[in-house]
Amino acid sequence: MFFGGRRVELPSEEQLCFLAGVGLLAVVGIIEWPVAAAIAIGHGLAHSQHGKALREFGEALEEA
């Protein structure tokens, strides 16, 4: 998808469901908003292209 001449990638359906679940937990009060934000940011970083090296490192540790 392009927005303002830039390519914008939307999260996958699985990621959107996860984030919606975290948001619902925060709305209901099961977890606090800062915790929900930290989980969402960590999830986003783990699934981003920038987190690819981190995932590869984790996979290498699992194999060791």
Side-chain angles (χ1 to χ4, degrees):
M1 171 192 282
F2 289 93
F3 182 73
R6 292 183 165 217
R7 181 181 167 91
V8 178
E9 289 190 35
L10 297 176
S12 68
E13 186 176 328
E14 181 183 275
Q15 291 175 346
L16 288 175
C17 288
F18 176 82
L19 294 173
V22 171
L24 180 64
L25 291 174
V27 167
V28 174
I30 295 174
I31 60 175
E32 298 290 329
W33 280 105
V35 174
I39 291 171
I41 291 169
H43 182 78
L45 288 173
H47 286 89
S48 72
Q49 289 295 332
H50 300 304
K52 184 179 178 184
L54 182 60
R55 281 193 305 275
E56 291 174 354
F57 179 69
E59 290 171 0
L61 286 177
E62 287 178 355
E63 292 176 7

